[in-house]
Amino acid sequence: MKLTRRNTLVLAGAASLLASAGTGNAADKAALEKRSLDELHKAAVTEGGRVIVYAGGDTAGQQDGIKKAFEQRFPGVTLDVIVDYSKYHEARIDNQIATKSLIPDIIQIQTLQNFPRWKAEGVLQPYKPLGWDKVYAPFKDKDGTFTGIFVDAFSNVVNTKLLPDKKSWPTEAKDYLRPEFKGKIVLTYPTDDDAVLFWFKRVVDKYGWDYVAALAKQDPIYVRGTQAPADMVESGEATVTFSTDGGLVPSEGTASRFVLPEADPFVAWPQQAAILKGAKHPEAAKLYLSWLLDKDTQKNVWYMWSVRTDVEPPKGYKPIWEYKNGDPTAFGKFLSDRGAVERFRSQIGLYLAEVKGDPSPGRPGLAPEKALSH
């Protein structure tokens, strides 16, 4: 089953700076998993047959595709995924650790700076899943405390029914300043999402603050979360966006297309996941991570780039490393300097709309154990 943006989620990522960070000693290192998926499956069922994941994302049901694929592959094991904005999940984890009330087995969020911090604090359980040895070195912690599971990227998404001529598609940042796109651009609040904020950082570095001022005059349609832009472009409520991802190979019958720029920067990063120390379902957690890194999952379930060295991108695309304007280590470096991030966020807020409205995933609460109804 091939997933799309509409039935999966953006997980958490990291970059080369983060991959080598932390203060783990020899006792904290893990050996490469030797058991097969079938053996891990049996262990997970014996353990109780459940795994709980706190995952960064935008809607309560955004992980339904992953849940279905996992549970079909491993009968008797339930995958419960609670989706919320990464900044809220990081607060939950810190609070649950402080109050000794840990709920999730696995954390996978976009706020990448937390992984080396949590490693240094000793709250992550080192584990090298099946396939870990095939993961690009900059996409994994050398001690196995957190591991890249696939690559995500935010760039141009266009509605091909509204823009049937490819020559009219916006690909570079300045294309969004064209008069015909006024009021037709859907944009995730950059002050609400770090990946979107980083897109602006790269563009401001290249074109200056005049670009942001000009974009503000285009009257973007502001939304919370990065699922809404994908949905709105697909439905025709908006024509274009650059604040979401999309399938490298479009699903049959879809109107939207993901388009990379030729010259301007786009945002790419390896999604990260980690098992938490004290997890109630450690065997099922190991099964889940090993399944995510499995070559078949990497090739046939995820819809963008793989983190594995032995999985080629779809025809027409290069390995993510070969895009000079999409350095997959840059986002993690940006996030590691929290002072600089917050200063830039405050400046963006002077130009573009401040966040309004309820969070798109809903409000899961302090210590959720199941996804919200959807």
Side-chain angles (χ1 to χ4, degrees), residues 68 147 161 205 214 251 278 298 304 331 349:
K68 181 179 179 180
T147 302
K161 292 182 179 178
D205 285 348
S251 298
Q298 291 280 302
M304 300 199 90
F331 184 42

Side-chain angles (χ1 to χ4, degrees), residues 108-323:
Q108 47 188 53
I109 56 177
Q110 183 177 286
T111 49
L112 317 184
Q113 73 280 1
N114 289 289
F115 288 96
R117 173 176 69 86
W118 283 329
K119 176 185 178 181
E121 291 172 356
V123 301
L124 303 181
Q125 179 61 53
Y127 179 62
K128 296 178 180 178
L130 288 170
W132 185 91
D133 54 330
K134 298 295 184 182
V135 174
Y136 288 105
F139 289 172
K140 59 188 177 185
D141 171 55
K142 61 183 177 62
D143 299 323
T145 49
F146 50 91
T147 302
I149 48 179
F150 32 72
V151 176
D152 204 9
F154 284 2
S155 192
N156 313 294
V157 177
V158 303
N159 183 297
T160 60
K161 292 182 179 178
L162 298 177
L163 295 175
D165 184 358
K166 286 187 178 182
K167 294 180 181 179
S168 68
W169 294 359
T171 57
E172 310 301 333
K174 288 189 174 181
D175 290 339
Y176 289 91
L177 305 182
R178 285 162 26 195
E180 65 266 31
F181 291 134
K182 187 170 185 177
K184 298 180 180 180
I185 304 165
V186 57
L187 174 61
T188 302
Y189 290 105
T191 53
D192 205 27
D193 185 280
D194 283 346
V196 180
L197 185 70
F198 184 52
W199 185 93
F200 278 94
K201 179 63 169 67
R202 300 198 74 190
V203 170
V204 167
D205 285 348
K206 184 171 183 178
Y207 293 114
W209 285 102
D210 287 347
Y211 175 86
V212 185
L215 183 69
K217 294 178 181 178
Q218 289 290 76
D219 298 329
I221 306 165
Y222 292 99
V223 295
R224 296 200 71 179
T226 59
Q227 179 67 49
D231 292 343
M232 291 174 69
V233 170
E234 176 63 27
S235 69
E237 293 177 77
T239 303
V240 294
T241 187
F242 52 81
S243 62
T244 192
D245 66 5
L248 300 185
V249 178
S251 298
E252 186 176 353
T254 57
S256 54
R257 295 292 183 274
F258 179 78
V259 187
L260 290 174
E262 291 291 332
D264 282 346
F266 66 96
V267 179
W269 69 98
Q271 315 269 27
Q272 289 289 6
I275 299 176
L276 291 154
K277 277 189 178 177
K280 298 180 180 67
H281 314 102
E283 295 300 327
K286 293 174 182 178
L287 171 65
Y288 176 72
L289 289 186
S290 290
W291 174 74
L292 284 177
L293 283 187
D294 183 69
K295 192 172 182 179
D296 181 70
T297 307
Q298 291 280 302
K299 186 175 181 179
N300 297 315
V301 176
W302 182 240
Y303 55 90
M304 300 199 90
W305 288 270
S306 171
V307 294
R308 291 181 59 125
T309 60
D310 56 352
V311 176
E312 293 294 323
K315 184 178 180 180
Y317 288 90
K318 300 181 291 186
I320 191 64
W321 294 104
E322 295 184 17
Y323 293 94

